[in-house]
């Protein structure tokens, strides 16, 4: 039951993101990506889980991911200013926009080779990157297991959710 509650909180947050940022990744999908990353914890600090890695915010976004998304910023900020990355991805709205822009670059990739490009492919892309998303090992990660549970609950509650 707690997972259903968490999924619904994430979906509510995703709907707010969709209202602010419009078209792109399905808001339910965005909510599950956030849920799987940090339980959509908006206070998630930047951290280095292993040497050479640096992830920040509720979506656990790296600097390279943010740069590939064309460095979105919080209104009034400067992408070239020190700390712009951290300020953006630690903000729910700017972090969501980063994910949307990143996914827009890879929307045509069927990462799980099931014949359709949908939210499950976006989960692969979010975790493994657009160029490494066909690696099936993503399905064994805690991220993907949490994502899949969330997506199954959301999909069952909203039969029109396809991407």
């Amino acid at each position: 039951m707690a997972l259903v509650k968490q999924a619904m909180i994430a979906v509510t947050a995703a709907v707010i993101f969709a209202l602010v940022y419009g078209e792109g990744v399905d808001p339910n999908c965005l909510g599950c990506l956030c849920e799987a990353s940090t339980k959509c914890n908006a206070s998630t600090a930047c951290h280095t889980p292993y040497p050479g890695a640096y992830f920040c915010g509720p979506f656990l976004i790296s600097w390279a991911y943010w740069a590939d998304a064309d460095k979105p910023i919080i209104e009034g900020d400067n992408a070239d200013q020190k700390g712009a990355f951290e300020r953006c991805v630690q903000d729910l709205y700017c972090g969501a926009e980063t994910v949307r822009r990143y996914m827009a670059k890879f929307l045509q990739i069927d990462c799980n080779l099931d014949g359709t490009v949908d939210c499950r492919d976006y989960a692969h892309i979010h975790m493994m990157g657009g160029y490494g998303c066909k690696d099936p090992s993503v399905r064994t990660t805690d991220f993907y297991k949490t994502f899949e549970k969330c997506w199954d609950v959301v999909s069952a509650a909203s039969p029109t959710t396809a991407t």
Side-chain angles (χ1 to χ4, degrees):
M1 191 59 156
L3 181 60
V4 172
K5 182 177 178 184
Q6 290 173 349
M8 299 301 15
I9 290 169
V11 168
T12 300
V15 169
I16 292 168
F17 298 154
L19 292 173
V20 173
Y21 289 105
E23 300 294 317
V25 178
D26 179 278
N28 293 325
C29 180
L30 194 60
C32 286
L33 293 175
C34 191
E35 177 70 22
S37 296
T38 65
K39 298 191 182 346
C40 221
N41 182 348
S43 63
T44 301
C46 297
H47 66 285
T48 305
Y50 53 88
Y54 185 60
F55 299 96
C56 298
F59 289 95
L60 292 181
I61 295 171
S62 70
W63 186 92
Y65 187 116
W66 178 72
D68 283 345
D70 298 324
K71 300 180 180 179
I73 55 170
I74 294 173
E75 187 174 339
D77 207 344
N78 177 339
D80 297 322
Q81 186 178 19
K82 183 176 174 55
F85 157 68
E86 289 87 351
R87 285 188 295 277
C88 173
V89 301
Q90 288 180 308
D91 176 83
L92 277 170
Y93 299 106
C94 197
E97 180 65 6
T98 302
V99 173
R100 286 180 190 281
R101 289 184 185 191
Y102 189 83
M103 294 304 159
K105 291 190 173 217
F106 301 102
L107 285 177
Q108 73 285 0
I109 302 175
D110 180 13
C111 300
N112 61 3
L113 307 173
D114 68 354
T116 60
V117 177
D118 59 17
C119 189
R120 293 181 196 280
D121 297 297
Y122 302 156
H124 282 241
I125 292 167
H126 187 68
M127 184 72 179
M128 305 300 281
Y131 300 107
C133 74
K134 292 184 182 180
D135 182 343
S137 69
V138 69
R139 293 185 207 117
T140 65
T141 64
D142 289 340
F143 164 86
Y144 195 81
K145 290 173 186 173
T146 301
F147 161 80
E148 199 163 45
K149 286 178 187 172
C150 178
W151 188 241
D152 288 346
V153 168
V154 167
S155 296
S158 176
T160 59
T161 300
T163 59

